[in-house]
Amino acid sequence: MKKRILILIAALLVLFASACGDSKESYNAGIAAFRGEDYEEAIHSLLQAISQGMEDPFVKADLALAYEKSGQMTKALEYLNAALKEAPEDPGVLKRIGRFYEYAGDRITALKYFAKSLRTPEGEMSEPDLETTAYAAEIEERYGNYDEAIRLYNTLITQNYMVPEHQMLAGMCYLKMRQIEAACQYFDLLAQDEGVIPEYYLIIYHALCDRGFTEEAEPYFQEGLKLCDQEGSISRGEYYADAFRTELAEEEGLEGSTTGTMLAQASLLVEDGDLDGAEAVYTDLIQKGEDLEKVYNQYLMLKAKQGDFPAAFRLLSYVQTGSDAAAKKDADWNEVLLYELQMDYGTALTKLEAFMKAYPPTETVWREYAFLSRAAAGF
């Protein structure tokens, strides 16, 4: 009898371990789907994880995020409240609630929950708390609280957390305050970091050029060029294309199937007037499923050139409701251009004025404002 009981217990343990493994597998699949912006699949897999026995409250918070992204706000709030009721002090739940309100555009509430989720002293933060601090810094920067954003970025830098990225972002804050010397001091530090990639220098190059600092921008462009064509790096052709140096990009060639290379290929095809060729590249990129918000931002402008404005605005809506802050900024700018291309200058001007409130205006933005002000007035 004792032997039969032991066998039964062993069988139950095996079944329990199998269920735990299945639920973990479903949860991981749900998170992967969420990161891939397949929110319906994310919901399906996370619900499956719960049905398979995963009881951690943060799973319900993850479900709330997936429902929010899919536009099902009633369900989103239901799971959000359930997670908070079950674990009102759990840092993982609190962080996810912060993300929920960040996606909803509620900066104050998002920052409140991020602050509540922190569990370690600022001088010796855990990895989860460093990640939360990075979220908070991004929000502060987005809403123009540059001094606080810089303070948080410096905290991340001194804690050795994603140093090159946060050096660049701190420099960007100073640049937005037009403190060019302070900005360049941070940008210059990138050369000391092994983790720096050419794309960081492209971002710096474009940001400086947009603000009229073309002379200061060139050395950073050259620094990034040195890092191209290395293992895991973008090619020189792609780098030139992303900097809008079309002739040099064509001289270098644009072979390869990375998302960045294909986007550059599509841009060059549009410039050459081969809209059908560009369409084919974008179709392949969408099927590939990587960096879709960035892909859609370019693709919507192609649809506008083809005169298919309904399709362009559908793509625009997708990007504007996404989680990528940089892509959303580009989409908000593209929205201005879409109305301008339709010669609806009044609406374009209204959208531009909203853009200028949300993001510090660059020289390019001020030129667009001058043009639309005249056009909307009928001059």
Side-chain angles (χ1 to χ4, degrees), residues 100-135:
F100 181 93
Y101 284 105
E102 180 185 357
Y103 295 154
D106 187 342
R107 174 180 69 92
I108 300 299
T109 306
L111 289 172
K112 181 183 77 172
Y113 278 102
F114 284 151
K116 286 177 67 176
S117 78
L118 298 176
R119 289 293 184 272
T120 49
E122 193 168 284
E124 47 187 33
M125 283 187 171
S126 64
E127 180 115 352
D129 284 354
L130 287 167
E131 182 183 53
T132 301
T133 301
Y135 290 150

Side-chain angles (χ1 to χ4, degrees), residues 67-79:
Y67 274 120
E68 180 185 36
K69 284 295 188 181
S70 69
Q72 302 179 62
M73 287 303 293
T74 301
K75 280 286 188 182
L77 289 169
E78 176 188 329
Y79 278 98

Side-chain angles (χ1 to χ4, degrees), residues 50-89:
I50 291 173
S51 71
Q52 292 167 333
M54 185 169 277
E55 298 178 349
D56 300 285
F58 65 77
V59 183
K60 292 181 179 178
D62 285 323
L63 256 173
L65 294 175
Y67 274 120
E68 180 185 36
K69 284 295 188 181
S70 69
Q72 302 179 62
M73 287 303 293
T74 301
K75 280 286 188 182
L77 289 169
E78 176 188 329
Y79 278 98
L80 191 77
N81 291 328
L84 188 58
K85 184 177 179 180
E86 289 179 25
E89 301 298 327

Side-chain angles (χ1 to χ4, degrees), residues 90-366:
D90 182 88
V93 170
L94 293 170
K95 177 189 288 191
R96 286 163 173 80
I97 294 174
R99 294 294 275 174
F100 181 93
Y101 284 105
E102 180 185 357
Y103 295 154
D106 187 342
R107 174 180 69 92
I108 300 299
T109 306
L111 289 172
K112 181 183 77 172
Y113 278 102
F114 284 151
K116 286 177 67 176
S117 78
L118 298 176
R119 289 293 184 272
T120 49
E122 193 168 284
E124 47 187 33
M125 283 187 171
S126 64
E127 180 115 352
D129 284 354
L130 287 167
E131 182 183 53
T132 301
T133 301
Y135 290 150
E138 179 185 328
I139 292 175
E140 298 288 15
E141 179 179 357
R142 192 184 314 155
Y143 285 91
N145 301 321
Y146 300 125
D147 288 332
E148 177 60 11
I150 290 167
R151 187 187 73 79
L152 294 173
Y153 286 137
N154 281 330
T155 297
L156 297 167
I157 292 166
T158 56
Q159 297 279 317
N160 203 34
Y161 182 74
M162 299 176 66
V163 173
E165 178 177 342
H166 293 126
Q167 286 173 339
M168 179 190 70
L169 291 172
M172 286 296 177
C173 288
Y174 277 116
L175 185 58
K176 289 170 182 176
M177 294 189 289
R178 298 196 73 82
Q179 297 183 31
I180 182 68
E181 291 185 9
C184 288
Q185 285 178 358
Y186 276 91
F187 297 155
D188 290 342
L189 291 172
L190 292 177
Q192 303 172 16
D193 294 304
E194 293 183 0
V196 69
I197 56 177
E199 287 87 343
Y200 290 164
Y201 283 110
L202 272 174
I203 293 170
I204 293 168
Y205 171 75
H206 284 302
L208 287 167
C209 288
D210 282 346
R211 287 161 177 80
F213 299 113
T214 54
E215 186 176 339
E216 290 83 356
E218 187 61 26
Y220 297 108
F221 176 84
Q222 296 300 330
E223 284 296 319
L225 190 61
K226 294 176 187 176
L227 300 175
C228 295
D229 289 327
Q230 299 178 9
E231 185 176 353
S233 177
I234 63 174
S235 68
R236 289 169 64 93
E238 184 181 343
Y239 187 82
Y240 280 129
D242 285 345
F244 307 122
R245 300 191 177 188
T246 307
E247 291 184 6
L248 291 171
E250 290 176 333
E251 288 176 12
E252 290 286 341
L254 280 168
E255 297 179 1
S257 59
T258 66
T259 299
T261 299
M262 292 175 70
L263 283 171
Q265 290 170 348
S267 293
L268 291 178
L269 287 168
V270 171
E271 286 189 29
D272 290 340
D274 186 357
L275 301 188
D276 290 339
E279 177 89 37
V281 175
Y282 286 125
T283 300
D284 289 344
L285 280 164
I286 291 167
Q287 290 176 349
K288 192 177 179 183
E290 296 177 1
D291 294 325
L292 283 178
E293 291 179 14
K294 187 175 182 180
V295 172
Y296 287 160
N297 250 333
Q298 280 195 201
Y299 188 34
L300 69 89
M301 295 309 297
L302 172 66
K303 302 310 290 183
K305 286 179 181 291
Q306 293 172 329
D308 189 351
F309 285 99
F313 278 103
R314 284 195 298 272
L315 293 165
L316 179 78
S317 176
Y318 178 91
V319 182
Q320 287 180 320
T321 56
S323 59
D324 187 329
K328 183 182 183 305
K329 179 181 178 181
D330 290 342
D332 289 346
W333 173 253
N334 285 337
E335 185 175 25
V336 175
L337 301 181
L338 287 179
Y339 282 109
E340 181 185 329
L341 287 169
Q342 293 180 103
M343 301 180 72
D344 184 351
Y345 299 123
T347 304
L349 180 60
T350 300
K351 296 293 182 181
L352 181 60
E353 288 170 342
F355 182 90
M356 294 171 77
K357 290 179 181 178
Y359 311 104
T362 64
E363 298 298 326
T364 301
V365 172
W366 281 116

